[in-house]
Amino acid sequence: MKEIYKLVSEISLSNVLKRNTFQKVFEILYGVGEKGISQNLKVYILALISWLVSLVSSVNWIIFPISSTIITFTLLTVYCKRPRFLNDVAYTLATFLLCQNTVIFYLASIKISENVILNRSVTLFYVLICYFLSFYIVKIKLLDSIQESYFADSKNIIKSNAIKNIKLLSSILVLFVILLISAMQLYRLNKWWIKSYNLEFLAGLNGTILGNIFSIISVFIAIIIVLLFTMIPTLFLNSDIIVNGLLLRKYSEEFRKEYDFTKEEWYGEK
């Protein structure tokens, strides 16, 4: 996160003010119509769904639903204590993290063998690596968003391979979602002949070199599909909102005084 904070520190107040008019800031504080209420309700409902779904991971290890419960409770606590000027940021991060939490702990319920220790070890590794990948993708997206919004004309803009790779991954994820939806529709319309298709010939490959190669390729493809499916929530993260929130936080008092908001209006203090 050092790179992000370094770039944020180089952005001037005047530059941020250009992108945050009084009307835009007013909408962040008070929303449009019943936006604030509906956002809170969506977060609470999503948190409940995420927690309920995560309970299925107990089939592998009770540690997983306990971890999910702690994550969900902590997230809701932080969300409820947010200052008012970070409404949009809190909502964006909360929905992303809850969706990510739902997918990860749902897939954590999959058993790969009858060996309990193996199941727990693989699942724990999956949870840890997926959270790491998810946060890494978010970090790169934030860097890219900051640069495109505030340093597009700068000679110091970083054109790293990481940014290019994450953009490529996003494109792959979009394609994966399209293929996934298409496959589901294909199966729904043609499952009668898919179910009747005879795959017994594969049993004859057991123990053979060809069978081993086929098994390795199948496992590799399965891992790729699981990882791609797990990273789908990163597609819907609006990094621009988070970047804007970081800048509002940096220049919090300056914005409040510039647009003449009281502390109660700006921070939500009573």
Side-chain angles (χ1 to χ4, degrees), residues 99-113:
C99 288
Q100 190 69 81
N101 197 59
T102 303
V103 175
I104 288 177
F105 283 101
Y106 174 73
L107 293 179
S109 65
I110 298 175
K111 290 187 176 182
I112 62 172
S113 75

Side-chain angles (χ1 to χ4, degrees), residues 25-212:
V25 174
F26 184 86
E27 289 180 0
I28 291 175
L29 293 176
Y30 297 101
V32 180
E34 297 298 317
K35 177 182 175 182
I37 296 176
S38 62
Q39 280 188 345
N40 290 341
L41 184 59
K42 288 176 184 177
V43 170
Y44 299 146
I45 293 175
L46 186 56
L48 177 61
I49 293 173
S50 177
W51 178 73
L52 290 174
V53 169
S54 71
L55 294 180
V56 301
S57 61
S58 61
V59 300
N60 270 330
W61 200 4
I62 193 63
I63 290 297
F64 298 129
I66 291 176
S67 300
S68 175
T69 301
I70 294 172
I71 292 172
T72 303
F73 179 77
T74 303
L75 182 59
L76 284 178
T77 301
V78 174
Y79 177 79
C80 292
K81 291 184 177 181
R82 72 195 183 281
R84 182 174 287 174
F85 71 91
L86 291 180
N87 278 344
D88 283 358
V89 181
Y91 175 75
T92 300
L93 282 175
T95 52
F96 161 69
L97 290 172
L98 288 170
C99 288
Q100 190 69 81
N101 197 59
T102 303
V103 175
I104 288 177
F105 283 101
Y106 174 73
L107 293 179
S109 65
I110 298 175
K111 290 187 176 182
I112 62 172
S113 75
E114 296 302 320
N115 189 305
V116 175
I117 295 178
L118 179 62
N119 275 330
R120 290 178 176 178
S121 300
V122 171
T123 305
L124 180 61
F125 178 76
Y126 159 77
V127 171
L128 294 176
I129 196 67
C130 284
Y131 267 114
F132 172 80
L133 286 174
S134 177
F135 290 140
Y136 178 75
I137 291 172
V138 170
K139 172 189 171 182
I140 300 303
K141 282 192 169 187
L142 291 179
L143 281 173
D144 186 42
S145 181
I146 293 173
Q147 291 190 147
E148 287 189 354
S149 299
Y150 294 96
F151 297 95
D153 300 325
S154 173
K155 294 181 181 180
N156 297 324
I157 188 169
I158 304 172
K159 292 292 185 181
S160 67
N161 289 329
I163 292 177
K164 295 177 183 178
N165 291 337
I166 294 304
K167 286 185 175 180
L168 175 61
L169 176 61
S170 295
S171 300
I172 293 174
L173 283 174
V174 171
L175 179 61
F176 176 73
V177 171
I178 294 173
L179 291 176
L180 186 63
I181 294 174
S182 300
M184 291 172 64
Q185 292 301 313
L186 180 65
Y187 175 77
R188 186 176 66 86
L189 296 174
N190 302 279
K191 58 184 177 182
W192 61 272
W193 63 263
I194 293 177
K195 287 183 177 181
S196 63
Y197 193 73
N198 189 2
L199 297 176
E200 290 183 359
F201 72 94
L202 293 176
L205 298 177
N206 289 339
T208 66
I209 296 178
L210 184 60
N212 292 334

